[in-house]
Amino acid sequence: MVVNCQPCGRDVGMGTVGARLKEERERLGLSQIAFADLGGVKKHAQINYESDRRKPDSSYLSLISKEGADVLYILTGKRVDAPRNPTRTEAQMRQTATDIRRSLDQTISIDGSDYATVARFDVEAAAGDGATVGYVENAERIAFRRAWLDRIGVKPKNAALLRARGSSMEPLIWDGDLLMIDTTMTEPRLYRRGRWKGHQDEIFVLELDGDLRVKSVRRPEEDKVVISSENHVRYEPEVYQGDEISRLRFVGKVVWWGHTAV
């Protein structure tokens, strides 16, 4: 559909690149901020693209195509195949990962020491069978000493806080514990016996089929991932191999957690 704008005579609607870009964004269930982040640009650039004030470049188009956008349709108005409308759960998964990674780095000074504030999100990672992911809203920020964050190798802008729910990770992580994740660490290391000491598995917050979980993760082989719980009596390990690994979306590695006995 093309609607002629009078008196300017400019075509708007589905006949423009910007309108089709907006249509694709809405089909994928993403906000302008989230979609801009996927394309490596700021929100104002996304607004300019959708209003046809600017044309998206090849780098942007390449990035959004990896997230499921039909770039051919955006540019030409033609589809090779009818698009598959993602379920709400898939859209929520994308929104969750994107919004968590948008945590900002803010600094405050307390008694002469520098503290970085880390965003806590109103989302919970299930330490059990999994909880359906909802849209993430920034709830508050919690201050940590910058020197301590430097010591554990986490940049404040890459950190996010969320809560664990359930008992599957007890006695390591308890129901209600506050988790800090590094959102740049999204690939489990390939396990090598004797490479590191202590707890042999890494702990990740991950999305699986629309559920957000906190689990121990081991990668014994390049194409094999094992996710498991500390509560071995109630929860069996889950093994994913080959193409099955693509079902796992690692949101971030757990680098710290806090427990209160209340």
Side-chain angles (χ1 to χ4, degrees):
M1 179 180 69
V2 178
V3 180
N4 190 261
C5 174
Q6 299 293 337
C8 65
R10 177 181 167 194
D11 286 338
V12 296
M14 296 307 155
T16 69
V17 170
R20 292 191 294 269
L21 176 61
K22 179 181 179 181
E23 181 188 352
E24 279 298 281
R25 173 177 63 77
E26 292 177 343
R27 180 179 69 82
L28 293 170
L30 297 175
S31 68
Q32 285 183 320
I33 294 176
F35 205 65
D37 193 63
L38 293 178
V41 299
K42 301 297 184 182
K43 180 183 177 181
H44 72 270
Q46 183 69 32
I47 293 172
N48 286 337
Y49 294 159
E50 292 186 10
S51 61
D52 292 303
R53 286 193 288 267
R54 287 181 55 194
K55 298 297 183 185
D57 60 22
S58 59
S59 175
Y60 169 88
L61 292 172
S62 176
L63 288 170
I64 65 172
S65 70
K66 295 177 182 178
E67 299 298 326
D70 189 339
V71 171
L72 178 65
Y73 173 69
I74 292 171
L75 295 176
T76 68
K78 299 178 181 178
R79 297 189 190 274
V80 176
D81 298 304
R84 180 182 66 87
N85 290 320
T87 65
R88 181 172 173 80
T89 297
E90 289 172 328
Q92 289 173 343
M93 287 170 61
R94 294 177 185 276
Q95 191 81 43
T96 298
T98 298
D99 285 350
I100 284 179
R101 292 187 179 97
R102 291 181 56 249
S103 173
L104 301 177
D105 184 358
Q106 299 179 4
T107 303
I108 60 176
S109 181
I110 302 175
D111 295 333
S113 298
D114 285 339
Y115 284 74
T117 60
V118 177
R120 184 178 73 80
F121 292 85
D122 277 334
V123 65
E124 297 173 345
D129 293 325
T132 300
V133 179
Y135 285 95
V136 178
E137 293 182 2
N138 199 335
E140 63 182 359
R141 305 189 72 86
I142 299 175
F144 294 84
R145 283 184 181 272
R146 277 192 174 276
W148 178 77
L149 291 171
D150 289 341
R151 188 160 63 249
I152 66 173
V154 178
K155 294 182 179 180
K157 68 179 181 180
N158 299 329
L161 298 164
L162 58 161
R163 290 208 178 271
R165 288 299 177 199
S167 60
S168 76
M169 291 298 289
E170 294 178 1
L172 192 65
I173 296 175
W174 292 77
D175 181 31
D177 281 1
L178 189 64
L179 311 175
M180 179 186 292
I181 63 173
D182 185 334
T183 61
T184 64
M185 303 180 72
T186 57
E187 285 291 332
R189 294 179 295 179
L190 185 62
Y191 174 75
R192 288 286 186 268
R193 185 176 297 278
R195 177 178 288 181
W196 59 84
K197 298 179 180 179
H199 201 273
Q200 296 299 309
D201 293 353
E202 300 175 290
I203 302 174
F204 277 88
V205 170
L206 58 96
E207 291 173 358
L208 172 62
D209 298 336
D211 293 339
L212 196 64
R213 302 183 180 185
V214 55
K215 293 292 181 183
S216 294
V217 177
R218 180 177 297 206
R219 192 169 198 162
E221 301 170 15
E222 191 67 42
D223 63 346
K224 181 178 180 179
V225 172
V226 181
I227 64 172
S228 58
S229 305
E230 290 298 307
N231 188 340
H232 303 297
V233 175
R234 289 187 57 190
Y235 300 90
E236 295 288 333
E238 301 171 37
V239 180
Y240 298 85
Q241 292 182 284
D243 293 340
E244 290 182 332
I245 296 176
S246 63
R247 293 174 57 196
L248 305 173
R249 187 187 296 267
F250 295 96
V251 178
K253 181 180 176 180
V254 177
V255 294
W256 171 89
W257 58 90
H259 172 68
T260 55
V262 177

